[in-house]
Amino acid sequence: MEKYILHWGEMGTRWGVNRTVAQIHALLYLATNPMNAEEITETLGVARSNVSTSIKELQSWKLVKVVHLLGDRRDHFETMKDPWDLFYTIMEGRKQRELDPTMSVLRECVLDSEQDKETPAEVKARIQEVLRFMETLDNWHRQIKGLPKSTLLKLIRLGAKVQGFLGK
């Protein structure tokens, strides 16, 4: 468990996520029961305030939820155990935080460039090309999100074989 949690924390920093946030998520993923903040603090050896802040961030991503246990007034926390559910939740969060705002700005840039006589046509075309690319990703995300897990798994397992069906 320790090796997994430490590695997940390291990978989190590479994905742009705070190390403690990633470690708490890994701990809750591996935990057999919901954990309260004190248990998380003791297990990971991090400050209680860091745990609180990290839990709030994980909740904002919809990766952690509060659970109440009978006879215990403290909040306990748990995360989804299905890797596919985690994947979908993270993908949706990244889309909302990264892709959607970028597409909005790109649309504004395209509109602004129509009135701008000084921007070279080649630059305008590049901006439009990036917008089309991002819209294609958004459309792909919408389609993938609608697929049942079993279908998506089959598609992933097909891999490069799909090219054979489509032709070279």
Side-chain angles (χ1 to χ4, degrees):
M1 282 180 69
E2 183 177 323
K3 185 175 187 175
Y4 181 96
I5 291 166
L6 290 172
H7 180 72
W8 207 249
E10 180 63 32
M11 290 310 300
T13 62
R14 294 178 187 174
W15 297 324
V17 176
N18 174 286
R19 180 184 316 275
T20 304
V21 171
Q23 287 179 344
I24 290 171
H25 185 254
L27 175 62
L28 292 174
Y29 178 74
L30 295 178
T32 55
N33 297 306
M35 297 179 74
N36 64 49
E38 289 76 25
E39 292 170 324
I40 295 168
T41 297
E42 290 171 17
T43 303
L44 297 180
V46 296
R48 176 67 169 81
S49 59
N50 199 354
V51 169
S52 294
T53 304
S54 298
I55 291 287
K56 287 178 186 165
E57 183 170 341
L58 287 164
Q59 287 174 315
S60 77
W61 278 88
K62 298 180 179 139
L63 289 171
V64 167
K65 69 178 183 175
V66 176
V67 177
H68 295 106
L69 301 179
L70 194 62
D72 191 339
R73 294 172 48 178
R74 297 173 293 184
D75 288 340
H76 290 73
F77 305 94
E78 67 179 8
T79 189
M80 297 165 250
K81 302 300 185 190
D82 182 343
W84 286 101
D85 291 338
L86 289 169
F87 172 76
Y88 284 125
T89 301
I90 291 167
M91 290 301 298
E92 188 61 32
R94 292 202 82 114
K95 178 194 172 311
Q96 291 171 2
R97 286 172 170 83
E98 299 168 21
L99 189 65
D100 292 348
T102 301
M103 287 192 308
S104 289
V105 170
L106 287 170
R107 287 184 187 110
E108 289 175 22
C109 289
V110 168
L111 289 173
D112 292 347
S113 74
E114 291 172 0
Q115 308 302 318
D116 184 358
K117 306 276 189 240
E118 293 179 26
T119 302
E122 184 178 339
V123 171
K124 292 177 182 182
R126 285 184 191 160
I127 293 171
Q128 288 174 338
E129 185 178 348
V130 172
L131 175 58
R132 281 192 299 275
F133 173 74
M134 299 292 262
E135 288 173 338
T136 300
L137 287 178
D138 187 45
N139 185 44
W140 174 77
H141 171 263
R142 227 177 294 110
Q143 292 173 18
I144 292 297
K145 190 169 86 171
L147 293 176
K149 288 178 200 172
S150 59
T151 302
L152 183 58
L153 187 58
K154 287 176 189 172
L155 183 62
I156 290 170
R157 287 183 177 150
L158 280 174
K161 294 176 190 172
V162 170
Q163 186 176 3
F165 294 122
L166 301 175
K168 295 184 182 184

